[in-house]
Amino acid sequence: MQLLSRPVKSVISFGLLLGAAAIPAPDQAVQQLMRIPPSNHQDAFGNSPYTPEHRDPYDHKVDSVGEHRQPLPFRNGHGATVQGPRNKGRERQNPDMVRPPSTDHGSMSNMRWSFADSHMRIEEGGWTRQTTIRELPTSRELAGVNMRLDEGVIRELHWHTEAEWAYILAGRVRVTALDPDGGSFMDDLEAGDLWYFPAGHPHSLQGLSPNGTEFLLIFDDGHFSEESTFLLTDWMAHTPKAVLAENFRVKPNTFKSIPSGEKYIFKGSMPDSIEEEKPRGFRKSKIRFTHHMDAQEPVRTSGGRVRITDSTNFPISKTVAAAHLEIEPGAIREMHWHPNADEWSYFKKGRARVTIFAAEGTARTFNYVAGDVGIVPRNMGHFIENLSDDEPLEVLELFRADKFQDFSLFQWLGETPRRMVADHLFAGDPEAAAAFLKQIEGAEKEPLKGTT
């Protein structure tokens, strides 16, 4: 009964404050909302979000998933309920689509996709799904693949026309590769590690741990397709056996039992140690194809931790730069932009709000949950806000670039003459100007900002 009475009491109180003679009874959608437990996000009158009475001129965030709220399109006295068919799960994941901030304006292409909406290719002991320009048309510079290999399962020997960068999400994996000088590379990796194979470099992957491995693959072309991989078995199956015999200097019937088509992902035998597995005549590559990203010492800020991996500390990675963000509850990835590449973000954990500013009076807000992909075109201003005040947010920012670059709005204004900043933003309001200028004095870039 308490859950029902509180919102109703708020409606009556708000009506009395406005001097209204009567408040109409809430419709069915609002009544349903009233059954959801209240949260700390209320306006000055105690009204909960997504009700006609709620007022928030500052467009504060609402964590509709964490607070078990069902978004409705009410904002500062405007809007109405939704009477037609609804996907309520999607609405809770995208509260700022249902009720955009008042600052959103204009038309902008979609910048969000979920791997949950990608087609799953299921194979023997594994699966794969992808997010490319076909799934997300704004994903022009990079494409992503999410792949799972069970214990002993092999992603067969192959190569690509694009470079491949990877981040291990869970488990352990063995990678092998060959460099153009005939040098061989083998390494065992675990969660938080990376690999990078330049275009055309042959390689393979195999799950090692009892639960196998899962990883995110990034390719430096949005048009990439996992279906267009150059596979060993596919090539052999489509080469005359007489030619295979001549090439490998064996009899043609040696190949009578080879696969008739690609194997792609398949169950293999469990490997021995790397030392035991090395072929006779093994020549170690001078190139380091792997990197331990999570082992890097992070940049610690008031709002979390940042690790940046690009060609400066992972030299082979010439076409993909990355930042790993751990954003604390209630914190924000500061307002910034990237001058050298589009941002392709993978949301690994938590829930986020991102507003993208595209100039010409255009801005749009998107929400992301774990497993989602976000795009921010180069030079467009944006932030990443942790929607939750209780749970951390973990994000991978990825760029088709050799080096990570960004510009901080906070730092820029701090390095701009005080008079010019005041003239731009606070003409006629010297008190606000003084407070703002004091805050940005000597400002330095702080990627993640905590609550004050």
Side-chain angles (χ1 to χ4, degrees):
M1 193 65 190
Q2 182 181 0
L3 296 180
L4 291 173
S5 62
R6 183 174 180 179
V8 174
K9 182 179 179 181
S10 299
V11 171
I12 296 172
S13 300
F14 187 70
L16 292 175
L17 285 167
L18 294 180
I23 296 292
D27 65 17
Q28 185 175 2
V30 176
Q31 287 177 338
Q32 182 179 11
L33 181 68
M34 290 176 178
R35 298 188 183 96
I36 299 175
S39 78
N40 295 327
H41 290 93
Q42 298 172 330
D43 63 20
F45 305 107
N47 297 308
S48 297
Y50 310 130
T51 59
E53 296 74 33
H54 184 259
R55 297 293 185 275
D56 178 14
Y58 302 113
D59 296 308
H60 288 90
K61 66 181 183 180
V62 178
D63 181 11
S64 54
V65 172
E67 298 168 14
H68 308 290
R69 295 191 176 279
Q70 188 61 53
L72 286 169
F74 289 115
R75 188 181 64 212
N76 295 331
H78 297 288
T81 58
V82 180
Q83 294 183 323
R86 299 169 63 182
N87 185 331
K88 293 186 178 182
R90 274 286 191 259
E91 290 175 358
R92 283 190 292 274
Q93 291 181 2
N94 297 277
D96 291 290
M97 301 287 266
V98 179
R99 188 194 65 186
S102 59
T103 49
D104 277 14
H105 183 263
S107 177
M108 182 182 292
S109 299
N110 179 44
M111 302 290 178
R112 176 190 177 276
W113 180 263
S114 175
F115 268 110
D117 293 325
S118 294
H119 178 265
M120 188 81 78
R121 175 175 174 173
I122 299 175
E123 297 288 335
E124 181 188 6
W127 51 256
T128 183
R129 53 186 176 178
Q130 58 187 355
T131 298
T132 71
I133 200 168
R134 290 169 290 279
E135 288 79 23
L136 181 59
T138 49
S139 183
R140 301 182 184 94
E141 295 191 345
L142 297 174
V145 173
N146 181 202
M147 186 174 290
R148 173 82 161 84
L149 303 177
D150 218 339
E151 183 180 26
V153 172
I154 297 172
R155 173 68 171 95
E156 75 161 287
L157 291 156
H158 66 283
W159 72 96
H160 309 280
T161 56
E162 302 84 3
E164 174 182 309
W165 181 101
Y167 178 89
I168 302 176
L169 299 168
R172 297 174 59 246
V173 62
R174 176 166 297 174
V175 300
T176 71
L178 185 73
D179 70 29
D181 296 321
S184 296
F185 181 86
M186 301 174 69
D187 200 6
D188 290 344
L189 304 174
E190 59 186 24
D193 290 342
L194 312 178
W195 69 75
Y196 181 93
F197 300 124
H201 284 50
H203 55 281
S204 71
L205 315 168
Q206 184 171 19
L208 295 180
S209 54
N211 290 324
T213 183
E214 186 174 336
F215 40 85
L216 175 72
L217 301 170
I218 298 296
F219 297 90
D220 60 358
D221 185 348
H223 290 88
F224 169 83
S225 172
E226 184 68 9
E227 310 300 326
S228 63
T229 302
F230 293 94
L231 300 169
L232 170 66
T233 53
D234 194 25
W235 190 14
M236 298 279 279
H238 292 89
T239 301
K241 289 182 173 57
V243 173
L244 292 176
E246 189 174 352
N247 186 80
F248 293 101
R249 297 178 179 176
V250 295
K251 295 180 179 179
N253 66 0
T254 302
F255 302 99
K256 63 180 183 299
S257 301
I258 66 172
S260 59
E262 66 178 44
K263 297 187 76 170
Y264 190 74
I265 292 174
F266 65 97
K267 180 71 173 177
S269 57
M270 287 300 296
D272 289 325
S273 68
I274 288 178
E275 199 58 39
E276 292 292 328
E277 291 264 305
K278 288 179 180 178
R280 184 177 299 176
F282 179 86
R283 288 189 295 149
K284 184 177 180 181
S285 175
K286 296 178 182 179
I287 300 173
R288 184 73 187 178
F289 291 97
T290 58
H291 178 79
H292 305 295
M293 188 182 200
D294 276 11
Q296 288 180 212
E297 182 63 28
V299 176
R300 300 177 189 275
T301 72
S302 64
R305 302 187 296 178
V306 181
R307 293 175 175 87
I308 294 173
T309 303
D310 59 16
S311 61
T312 60
N313 56 359
F314 187 23
I316 188 66
S317 189
K318 301 293 187 185
T319 62
V320 179
H324 179 214
L325 313 177
E326 296 174 90
I327 306 175
E328 293 178 355
I332 187 172
R333 167 73 163 102
E334 69 170 354
M335 297 171 71
H336 66 285
W337 69 95
H338 303 279
N340 61 335
D342 293 355
E343 177 179 318
W344 197 102
S345 296
Y346 177 76
F347 292 81
K348 185 182 173 188
K349 183 178 182 180
R351 300 176 293 280
R353 173 168 77 159
V354 178
T355 294
I356 301 172
F357 168 61
E360 299 182 338
T362 299
R364 185 173 173 186
T365 301
F366 298 87
N367 301 112
Y368 302 92
V369 299
D372 285 355
V373 171
I375 303 293
V376 181
R378 70 180 68 196
N379 291 313
M380 290 192 182
H382 59 289
F383 61 84
I384 304 175
E385 184 177 22
N386 188 341
L387 273 179
S388 175
D389 292 328
D390 304 306
E391 301 176 32
L393 171 66
E394 199 169 338
V395 187
L396 282 168
E397 293 182 346
L398 299 150
F399 308 88
R400 192 176 69 184
D402 64 334
K403 292 183 181 178
F404 175 92
Q405 293 183 1
D406 69 351
F407 282 103
S408 159
L409 177 62
F410 189 74
Q411 184 181 44
W412 180 36
L413 295 184
E415 295 294 332
T416 299
R418 295 164 60 86
R419 171 196 53 80
M420 186 172 289
V421 174
D423 285 349
H424 272 75
L425 300 176
F426 301 104
D429 193 345
E431 184 177 346
F436 185 81
L437 292 172
K438 180 180 179 181
Q439 186 64 25
I440 66 171
E441 188 173 10
E444 296 183 0
K445 182 187 299 185
E446 187 182 20
L448 307 181
K449 296 183 182 294
T451 55
T452 56

